[in-house]
Amino acid sequence: MQTVKVYGGHRLHGEITVSGSKNAGLPALAATILAPGISRLESVPDLADVHTMIELLRSLGCKVKREDKAIIVDAHNITSTEAPYNLVRRMRASVLIMGALLSRTGQAKVAMPGGCAIGTRPIDLHIKGFKALGIEISNNYGCIEGKASGKTAGATVYLDFPSVGATENLMMLATTTPGITVIENAAREPEIVDLATMLNSMGARINGAGTTTIRIIGVDQLYPTNHRIIPDRIEAGTFMVAAAITKGNVVIKNTLEHHLCPIVAKISEIGAKIKNYGEVMQVVGPMQIQSTDIHTLPYPGFPTDMQAQMMALLTLGSGVSVISETVFENRFRHVNELGRMGAKIRTDGSKAIVKGVDRLYGVKVQASDLRAGAALILAGLAAGGVTEVNGINHIDRGYENLEDKLRKIGARVARTGTVKKQVIGE
Ligand code: UD1
């Protein structure tokens, strides 16, 4: 098992560069199969979830290669329409292949993803949308199978919750569904806008991405494209917390300020000074972290994917902070581990009450999921002594070269061990 040792107590200082977005890169890779031809995606991060999506594309018949930060997908031949269980269980975002496969081939079979560390995470909204567009759905032996019937046509779909994945899956299917599809209560995340931009560059006709109503006029065919993935706002937010928690002074490159509004607001509230210079952001941590409250919400609310990292920061706050998690039902598994480092946190249902302490202590801790792992590394950067974070395979799913990047700005972090085990999650 691999672990990361964090030797805490060093102020971070210097420049760090954010990679392309994991959560924009995964649907973009799925979208390449919409067009028979060769598409090129720039700025795709090199991390475990991307490797899984590439494996999935290859299992469907695509030829995929990486050229530095770009991934080139040759989707001329789709030879299978089935996403196997061993890939879906490894990464839930594999279900994003379903909308693209249905659009391209009229059929798709995807193993049911099941639950994961942060909640049960059903895909009922994806299925409701597919059915509304005329897809016949059957559920056999743990697999969801979709077939385009003769009656496939655009429709209005109301999402009971603005699910990111359901919005993406439906957008992909609707690109070539005859007629007009309207997604009401659509997710508004920047990753949705990025996918719509890519799909429109392939010949799709999508309007309203980034608002609650997305309108898609079906076209006959999509064409290959070249598309650059947006920067990862969660990685940027993680580095902002790293600067703040170590009283550091860090310049973060490749950021888009308008994607970071809720994170900038909260990190300013705890007393950090933030300056923007185009696509560069400077974060100077405060001498004393102020407490504040956090309420996770779909975009443009505060992202659930930054909740754990903010909790690490608020453990050192001047008073009491209340964190409400409204997106996932089981996303406080980092609480006990932070507690082992000296944090004072009590949970009450979907709320965590964090009473600031003067210092954290380095101990052995276990990452339960991707962002929980990031939170433990951040806590370790500020803690006295050595924090040994286990379950690093979770962190590898979503951060590109995290330790190298942190080392360049003065963190003392080292990885030990060799075995990499694939895990399920976000
Ligand atoms: C995406 C992100 C993930 C992020 C999440 C919320 C990717 C690859 N992952 O996940 O990092 O934490 O958005 O911002 O982009 N739900 C249902 N039925 C459905 C679909 C979702 O009840 O059919 C529920 C989920 O259980 C969850 C909530 O809706 O409680 C949000 O899920 P969703 O927005 O779909 O998240 P993902 O797309 O899975």
Side-chain angles (χ1 to χ4, degrees):
M1 269 311 234
Q2 291 199 314
T3 60
V4 165
K5 283 190 177 161
V6 185
Y7 301 82
H10 303 281
R11 283 189 181 172
L12 301 188
H13 191 279
E15 288 184 2
I16 196 164
T17 303
V18 173
S19 299
S21 161
K22 166 178 90 76
N23 287 353
L26 295 174
L29 282 164
T32 58
I33 67 169
L34 287 163
I38 300 175
S39 289
R40 182 182 175 94
L41 298 177
E42 301 285 349
S43 193
V44 185
D46 190 7
L47 36 83
D49 276 9
V50 166
H51 300 167
T52 303
M53 187 56 93
I54 290 173
E55 225 179 295
L56 178 54
L57 291 176
R58 286 188 176 133
S59 78
L60 302 176
C62 297
K63 295 191 180 106
V64 188
K65 63 177 180 182
R66 188 177 262 282
E67 278 178 8
D68 193 22
K69 292 284 169 214
I71 291 184
I72 296 139
V73 182
D74 179 345
H76 272 109
N77 297 314
I78 299 298
T79 52
S80 162
T81 55
E82 186 172 342
Y85 179 66
N86 69 320
L87 296 179
V88 180
R89 72 170 288 282
R90 206 191 287 171
M91 183 185 70
R92 289 184 48 86
S94 307
V95 299
L96 292 175
I97 211 72
M98 199 162 176
L101 271 177
L102 285 167
S103 162
R104 172 82 185 265
T105 68
Q107 51 186 340
K109 189 172 172 187
V110 175
M112 277 293 281
C116 73
I118 59 176
T120 50
R121 300 180 82 175
I123 55 165
D124 55 316
L125 299 174
H126 303 234
I127 291 168
K128 175 181 165 180
F130 292 151
K131 281 184 176 166
L133 268 58
I135 300 294
E136 284 168 1
I137 298 284
S138 53
N139 187 346
N140 301 317
Y141 306 107
C143 286
I144 296 285
E145 201 164 351
K147 280 205 172 85
S149 62
K151 293 173 255 149
T152 314
T156 295
V157 181
Y158 172 78
L159 297 180
D160 300 292
F161 184 89
S163 155
V164 174
T167 304
E168 291 168 343
N169 240 338
L170 285 177
M171 268 191 342
M172 286 191 264
L173 172 60
T175 53
T176 57
T177 300
I180 297 175
T181 297
V182 179
I183 309 175
E184 299 280 15
N185 199 28
R188 290 184 282 167
E189 270 69 2
E191 294 77 21
I192 302 285
V193 179
D194 197 44
L195 178 62
T197 305
M198 172 178 169
L199 294 172
N200 283 342
S201 77
M202 298 170 84
R205 295 179 64 192
I206 303 175
N207 268 307
T211 75
T212 52
T213 305
I214 302 179
R215 195 165 176 271
I216 304 142
I217 302 174
V219 297
D220 290 341
Q221 172 153 24
L222 295 188
Y223 301 91
T225 190
N226 286 350
H227 176 73
R228 173 171 288 275
I229 302 298
I230 53 171
D232 196 309
R233 63 195 167 98
I234 305 302
E235 190 193 14
T238 304
F239 296 152
M240 291 168 77
V241 172
I245 203 168
T246 63
K247 303 183 173 69
N249 181 348
V250 177
V251 170
I252 307 170
K253 294 162 109 178
N254 194 29
T255 55
L256 292 177
E257 189 191 355
H258 58 286
H259 290 174
L260 290 166
C261 287
I263 304 173
V264 166
K266 286 295 159 184
I267 292 190
S268 301
E269 278 177 28
I270 64 94
K273 295 274 172 282
I274 301 176
K275 283 189 192 150
N276 268 292
Y277 309 93
E279 294 186 358
V280 174
M281 183 173 278
Q282 182 185 20
V283 182
V284 180
M287 291 317 286
Q288 169 63 58
I289 294 162
Q290 302 301 309
S291 295
T292 189
D293 295 339
I294 305 273
H295 200 92
T296 67
L297 283 171
Y299 191 85
F302 191 86
T304 173
D305 287 351
M306 277 299 298
Q307 180 256 107
Q309 302 91 311
M310 281 304 289
M311 190 184 290
L313 182 59
L314 293 171
T315 60
L316 294 166
S318 54
V320 175
S321 305
V322 179
I323 300 179
S324 312
E325 172 58 62
T326 73
V327 180
F328 289 108
E329 74 270 26
N330 187 21
R331 210 169 193 183
F332 283 146
R333 293 179 69 195
H334 39 285
V335 165
N336 284 347
E337 299 306 294
L338 288 170
R340 299 184 61 247
M341 297 177 73
K344 295 257 174 298
I345 310 169
R346 182 169 61 82
T347 56
D348 182 5
S350 61
K351 284 191 172 30
I353 297 100
V354 185
K355 188 168 183 301
V357 294
D358 290 338
R359 58 178 305 184
L360 298 172
Y361 303 92
V363 291
K364 284 189 184 177
V365 285
Q366 178 70 37
S368 55
D369 64 75
L370 167 56
R371 307 303 170 184
L376 295 172
I377 289 193
L378 292 168
L381 292 172
V386 184
T387 303
E388 189 178 309
V389 184
N390 293 276
I392 287 307
N393 43 341
H394 290 284
I395 299 174
D396 291 338
R397 290 190 31 243
Y399 288 93
E400 185 178 52
N401 299 329
L402 182 62
E403 299 114 82
D404 285 351
K405 288 188 181 186
L406 289 175
R407 260 195 299 272
K408 280 192 190 127
I409 53 172
R412 312 248 167 109
V413 283
R415 185 178 286 233
T416 55
T418 48
V419 184
K420 269 195 177 179
K421 190 173 140 242
Q422 289 284 357
V423 287
I424 318 165
E426 174 192 303

